Amino acid sequence: MEANAKPNYGKKVFFVSQNKRLQQMLRKRLLTMEYEVYFLEDYRIVKNLISESPDSILFILPEKQLKLAGWKNFIKSINSDMYFSSTAIGLLLKGFTENQIIEFTGGLKLEAGIITVNDDEEDSDEMFHEIVKTLDKLDAKGMRQYVRASCLGDEKSQVYWLEGDRMHKLNIMDISSVGLALLLPAKNYAQMAGIKEIPGAKITIKEKQESIPLDIYTIKQAGQNYVIVAMFQKTVTTKTLELIRDYVSDMLLADQYRKILNRPIDKIDYNTFVVESDDIFD
């Protein structure tokens, strides 16, 4: 790959913060912009998660759980671990003076920068734009336009529609905010072979049912069964798309947690932990 070429896949973006207001404000807007974002409240699972995707972006709001010295030691421990050398760390700092910022960030490698957090709505917009600028600079999206999640572990995620007095119901294999793939049993292929759209389709996710008119892009064989690849028609509502993005985010987070299910949490006392060498950038 050329040095300036964008990666095919996007990067995972983790936010470590117990600030609920900040989480709510960022989550909806970043999901709408199709970033793959995760919000974590416990620093003790962070290393387990980013070890699965070291080429990630990690924003930390150092408010609770650890003292400031502890947060600094935690960040230093990531900086000093070669396994996380491709992890870009950024800070969201609230209530810090300029001198405090200099003191806290000295000796830290912060490729995702330092962004000030305020409660004022206008300042919050400025903070959000700074975060987006940073994500774009670090190629958080790559060449990928839409975040997609597998639904194979959720048998309740389905698309259904009526044809006369007959109900069709198919399980969703994967989904994004522009389309989905449906598992079509081989015995039902003949009924669907020539279909071009399903205007009356409804989707069931997160225990909700919404209208989801579909255009059929293709039907292809997959083992002994088939897969219907469908795109959402333009009449799909913003509310439904928000529900789908929220569902995609939930499924991706659940998948991340499954990967680290049997791993012990980080038990290091970073309030007293000392990195062996401060010469981590030589």
Side-chain angles (χ1 to χ4, degrees):
M1 181 184 294
E2 296 180 5
N4 295 325
K6 286 189 176 183
N8 289 329
Y9 299 100
K11 298 179 181 179
K12 293 176 173 57
V13 182
F14 295 95
F15 289 87
V16 184
S17 168
Q18 294 185 335
N19 186 319
K20 295 290 188 180
R21 182 179 181 276
L22 179 71
Q23 290 181 31
Q24 292 170 0
M25 188 277 286
L26 290 177
R27 189 175 190 271
K28 181 177 179 179
R29 296 175 74 175
L30 290 173
L31 291 182
T32 300
M33 297 179 73
E34 295 292 336
Y35 291 102
E36 184 180 343
V37 294
Y38 302 88
F39 291 87
L40 313 174
E41 296 189 8
D42 191 344
Y43 75 91
R44 296 176 300 173
I45 62 172
V46 168
K47 287 185 178 178
N48 282 341
L49 287 172
I50 62 175
S51 69
E52 290 293 324
S53 306
D55 188 24
S56 295
I57 301 168
L58 175 65
F59 286 103
I60 297 173
L61 177 62
E63 281 192 314
K64 300 179 181 178
Q65 287 195 289
L66 295 171
K67 299 176 182 177
L68 284 181
W71 280 113
K72 185 165 186 173
N73 288 331
F74 174 68
I75 296 166
K76 275 190 174 184
S77 71
I78 297 175
N79 285 161
S80 63
D81 191 330
M82 289 302 297
Y83 190 77
F84 300 127
S85 61
S86 60
T87 303
I89 299 178
L91 290 175
L92 305 177
L93 298 183
K94 182 178 180 181
F96 278 60
T97 66
E98 185 174 347
N99 286 338
Q100 287 173 327
I101 291 175
I102 292 172
E103 181 180 355
F104 180 65
T105 61
L108 298 180
K109 182 182 178 183
L110 301 170
E111 292 180 328
I114 303 167
I115 299 171
T116 301
V117 176
N118 291 306
D119 290 327
D120 183 86
E121 288 189 11
E122 185 174 332
D123 289 334
S124 294
D125 282 341
E126 183 178 344
M127 174 201 65
F128 178 78
H129 293 312
E130 285 298 314
I131 290 173
V132 170
K133 280 168 56 178
T134 301
L135 296 181
D136 290 344
K137 180 184 71 174
L138 296 172
D139 283 331
K141 284 189 177 181
M143 297 297 290
R144 176 185 59 180
Q145 291 183 299
Y146 303 99
V147 180
R148 180 174 295 273
S150 170
C151 306
L152 295 177
D154 180 13
E155 295 181 355
K156 294 182 179 180
S157 63
Q158 297 178 323
V159 167
Y160 65 94
W161 70 96
L162 286 171
E163 184 180 3
D165 59 355
R166 179 172 183 175
M167 169 76 78
H168 296 275
K169 187 177 290 186
L170 300 177
N171 288 337
I172 303 173
M173 298 179 67
D174 60 59
I175 188 170
S176 73
S177 63
V178 293
L180 47 70
L182 300 169
L183 178 61
L184 178 66
K187 63 181 181 179
N188 297 334
Y189 173 73
Q191 304 168 29
M192 299 290 298
I195 195 167
K196 299 297 182 184
E197 65 174 347
I198 312 174
K202 295 185 182 296
I203 190 171
T204 301
I205 52 173
K206 293 176 70 74
E207 299 183 348
K208 296 181 180 180
Q209 292 83 36
E210 298 287 342
S211 175
I212 192 86
L214 301 172
D215 287 322
I216 306 303
Y217 177 73
T218 188
I219 301 178
K220 57 186 180 181
Q221 192 164 7
Q224 296 181 342
N225 296 305
Y226 292 83
V227 175
I228 298 175
V229 180
M231 310 300 290
F232 303 145
Q233 293 183 357
K234 293 181 179 180
T235 55
V236 174
T237 67
T238 299
K239 175 186 173 185
T240 300
L241 293 179
E242 287 178 354
L243 175 66
I244 290 170
R245 289 191 183 99
D246 193 52
Y247 174 75
V248 168
S249 181
D250 288 349
M251 293 300 290
L252 289 173
L253 181 59
D255 184 57
Q256 294 303 305
Y257 279 129
R258 276 193 294 271
K259 292 177 181 178
I260 66 168
L261 183 62
N262 296 316
R263 299 185 196 178
I265 61 172
D266 189 345
K267 295 183 179 179
I268 295 174
D269 181 4
Y270 291 101
N271 289 326
T272 59
F273 175 80
V274 178
V275 178
E276 291 184 6
S277 173
D278 283 334
D279 301 326
I280 56 180
F281 309 126
D282 293 347

